[in-house]
Amino acid sequence: MRLSSLADYAVVMMSASARHCGVTGRLNATLLSEETGIPLPTVQKLVSRLSSAGLIESTRGTGGGFRLSRPPVSISLADIIEAVEGPIVLTSCVDEGRHDCIIEENCRVKPHWNVVNGAVRGALAGVSLASLSTQIPFVPSEVEGRATGDALGARASTQPVLGIGEVDARGLGTNGLRVEA
């Protein structure tokens, strides 16, 4: 299971917005695009979707922009993902009104999917935007250390903690996306 790029960008964008919460009155799409490395048209598209979902308040015109509609602690990762991708479901058979599975009538697993979906959504709902917006230093996992030939943690002490909008030596921004010069 993997989030779409658009959902991932929405999480990055909302996290950056939460870091500005209380610091500036309103943000604009250009500033957020520059800070996160997300293309401006994508930020604009996400502002529309997140506004429609009630996660941000948007105002047009002079002095306009957008801001979070509620405190970061009361916005969950599930809220953001559902605003972009719709309900969190792992299989189509649990969607109301969808009956496109050829084994649906005899499937013995179908009754259990709602429990699984609830567990996944619950886990995502348990992660607040406030926790996502807290900057923590990058520490490579054991798998990443082995994949690059480094010993576990060998790069951790030399890996700088990036500030907002900064790019590391590998060309990756604070959001983990490659930044093209």
Side-chain angles (χ1 to χ4, degrees):
M1 186 175 89
R2 182 179 296 231
L3 290 179
S4 70
S5 293
L6 209 54
D8 183 24
Y9 293 160
V11 172
V12 170
M13 189 178 110
M14 289 290 286
S15 178
S17 299
R19 286 191 296 275
H20 287 279
C21 188
V23 177
T24 57
R26 294 193 180 275
L27 295 167
N28 64 54
T30 303
L31 171 72
L32 216 49
S33 175
E34 290 170 356
E35 181 175 315
T36 62
I38 299 171
L40 182 58
T42 304
V43 170
Q44 292 168 329
K45 177 192 258 185
L46 288 171
V47 165
S48 176
R49 287 193 187 184
L50 294 166
S51 180
S52 294
L55 297 180
I56 60 174
E57 297 170 348
S58 179
T59 305
R60 294 179 180 257
T62 304
F66 61 90
R67 65 179 181 193
L68 298 178
S69 61
R70 25 188 229 260
V73 72
S74 68
I75 298 174
S76 74
L77 184 54
D79 294 333
I80 300 167
I81 292 169
E82 287 179 331
V84 175
E85 296 194 350
I88 297 168
V89 293
L90 299 179
T91 62
S92 63
C93 65
V94 295
D95 276 345
E96 295 296 322
R98 289 199 61 186
H99 302 285
D100 55 358
C101 179
I102 61 172
I103 64 167
E104 183 175 11
E105 287 183 30
N106 299 316
C107 182
R108 294 177 185 232
V109 178
K110 181 180 177 182
H112 304 281
W113 278 118
N114 282 327
V115 173
V116 174
N117 287 333
V120 170
R121 191 190 187 291
L124 295 171
V127 179
S128 74
L129 181 57
S131 68
L132 290 172
S133 63
T134 304
Q135 192 166 6
I136 57 174
F138 172 77
V139 178
S141 70
E142 184 176 338
V143 174
E144 288 170 331
R146 274 194 238 134
T148 61
D150 294 340
L152 175 62
R155 291 180 293 151
S157 61
T158 60
Q159 187 73 9
V161 176
L162 299 175
I164 296 170
E166 292 182 33
V167 179
D168 71 5
R170 297 170 295 169
L172 300 179
T174 55
N175 56 8
L177 299 174
R178 181 149 316 276
V179 177
E180 301 294 329

